[in-house]
């Protein structure tokens, strides 16, 4: 994905402009889609799928959260409420009164925060291998392992291979290089704590926002059963799709199929 100076909003002298999230724009279609990344990557996660997107139908904006990629210089509280506020500020900057939102893993819960806080602005939501509004409760040993990936390269690579059903070491090392280059060290543990401790389930039960929930059949933790107990149990207008031969990163593991799946949902006038 290429970005031009106009694709990066952090220009100007006022505080509001200075705190806007960095982003990359793809396409020019009438359907606006805000795309968010996971805990361990930035907007570059989606580079493999952009050649397969219909830029005449949709305008995709791939945003980087504070501490990531084009927003690496931005610091903050690293909370779900802050991310949601940043997303709405970016949508305002883009002139989007209503928009679709796609969140992956960590930002799956952000789609729910947005749908709960600004239901009049969210047209549809896509949650990919998502952590839900209930958070991802980790025991002490699991938390210690996840936290170790912030500094331990081998732990990071083991995690990348585990969540994708055993993809090779070259894959894990490529993910490691991108992560270390694009994610500010100071934000890694605060965002992990957000994942572990956040809980706003009572605010999302019964939300009528149309939802597409996507999981990979090789993702060992955020699987079909987990989605039926969370997103599908809470959102009456949610549908679930399981992608075959795919783990936690369908936008990188199966990019053409993933692009087709989300665009079919965005084009469905019955939704």
């Amino acid at each position: 994905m290429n970005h031009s100076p106009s694709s990066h909003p952090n220009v100007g002298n006022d505080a509001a402009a200075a705190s806007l999230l960095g982003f990359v724009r793809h396409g020019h279609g009438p359907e606006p889609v805000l795309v968010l990344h996971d805990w361990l990557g930035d907007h570059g996660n989606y580079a493999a799928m952009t050649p397969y997107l219909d830029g005449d139908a949709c305008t995709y904006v791939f945003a980087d959260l504070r501490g990531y990629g084009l927003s690496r210089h931005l610091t903050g509280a690293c909370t779900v409420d802050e991310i949601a506020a940043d997303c709405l500020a970016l949508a305002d900057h883009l002139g989007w009164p209503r928009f679709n939102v796609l969140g992956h893993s960590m930002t799956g819960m952000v789609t729910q925060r947005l749908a709960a806080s600004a239901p009049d602005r969210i047209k549809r939501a896509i949650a990919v291998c998502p952590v839900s509004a209930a958070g991802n409760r980790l025991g002490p040993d699991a938390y210690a392992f996840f936290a170790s990936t912030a500094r331990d390269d081998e732990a990071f690579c083991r995690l990348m291979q585990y969540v994708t059903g055993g993809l090779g070491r070259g894959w894990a090392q490529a993910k490691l290089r991108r992560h270390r280059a694009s994610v500010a060290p100071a934000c890694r543990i605060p965002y992990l704590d957000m994942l572990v401790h956040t809980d706003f389930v009572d605010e999302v039960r019964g939300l009528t926002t149309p939802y597409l929930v996507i999981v990979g059949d090789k993702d060992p933790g955020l699987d079909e059963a987990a989605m039926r107990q969370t997103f599908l149990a809470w959102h009456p207008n949610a549908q679930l799709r399981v992608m075959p031969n795919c783990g936690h990163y369908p936008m990188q593991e199966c990019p053409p199929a993933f692009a087709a799946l989300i665009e079919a949902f965005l084009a469905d006038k019955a939704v």
Side-chain angles (χ1 to χ4, degrees):
M1 283 183 289
N2 296 319
H3 66 278
S4 64
S6 63
S7 295
H8 195 298
N10 297 338
V11 295
N13 296 319
D14 60 286
S19 64
L20 281 171
L21 300 179
F23 67 92
V24 169
R25 191 195 309 259
H26 178 88
H28 53 268
E31 200 65 55
V33 189
L34 180 64
V35 184
L36 306 173
H37 56 77
D38 73 322
W39 177 51
L40 295 173
D42 68 342
H43 73 273
N45 283 0
Y46 296 95
M49 65 175 272
T50 54
Y52 312 111
L53 295 174
D54 185 353
D56 294 326
C58 299
T59 297
Y60 292 92
V61 165
F62 299 87
D64 282 329
L65 306 187
R66 293 172 186 248
Y68 290 83
L70 298 173
S71 305
R72 198 175 190 272
H73 61 290
L74 295 178
T75 59
C78 300
T79 66
V80 69
D81 290 329
E82 179 182 69
I83 298 171
D86 285 343
C87 288
L88 292 174
L90 178 55
D92 290 342
H93 171 82
L94 295 166
W96 290 357
R98 299 188 72 227
F99 59 96
N100 306 281
V101 61
L102 183 156
H104 173 222
S105 195
M106 173 176 77
T107 54
M109 68 166 60
V110 178
T111 71
Q112 293 177 295
R113 182 69 273 167
L114 286 165
S117 298
D120 57 326
R121 299 197 62 178
I122 305 304
K123 299 178 69 174
R124 305 176 190 85
I126 302 172
V128 183
C129 307
V131 176
S132 78
N136 187 14
R137 300 293 178 262
L138 297 175
D141 291 343
Y143 178 90
F145 172 71
F146 273 80
S148 74
T149 65
R151 61 186 184 279
D152 184 331
D153 290 356
E154 285 302 315
F156 184 99
C157 289
R158 288 200 304 274
L159 178 60
M160 282 298 102
Q161 292 181 284
Y162 175 69
V163 299
T164 52
L167 288 184
R169 185 163 179 79
W171 150 263
Q173 291 176 328
K175 291 291 286 181
L176 173 67
R177 288 191 296 271
R178 179 77 187 199
H179 172 79
R180 296 298 193 237
S182 65
V183 184
C187 78
R188 295 170 187 170
I189 299 303
Y191 279 121
L192 175 61
D193 290 337
M194 179 191 79
L195 280 172
V196 172
H197 300 300
T198 297
D199 187 343
F200 56 99
V201 173
D202 290 342
E203 297 181 57
V204 305
R205 286 194 178 97
L207 285 176
T208 58
T209 306
Y211 255 92
L212 173 62
V213 182
I214 301 172
V215 296
D217 66 351
K218 293 186 177 181
D219 190 338
L222 299 167
D223 57 9
E224 179 177 358
M227 297 307 112
R228 294 195 180 281
Q229 294 169 5
T230 54
F231 282 83
L232 270 70
W234 304 331
H235 300 292
N237 292 330
Q239 54 184 285
L240 176 66
R241 296 291 182 271
V242 180
M243 295 192 66
N245 301 312
C246 193
H248 192 63
Y249 289 90
M251 68 290 297
Q252 292 179 292
E253 298 173 68
C254 308
F258 180 73
L261 187 56
I262 65 171
E263 293 199 326
F265 176 69
L266 293 169
D268 187 352
K269 302 304 181 184
V271 172

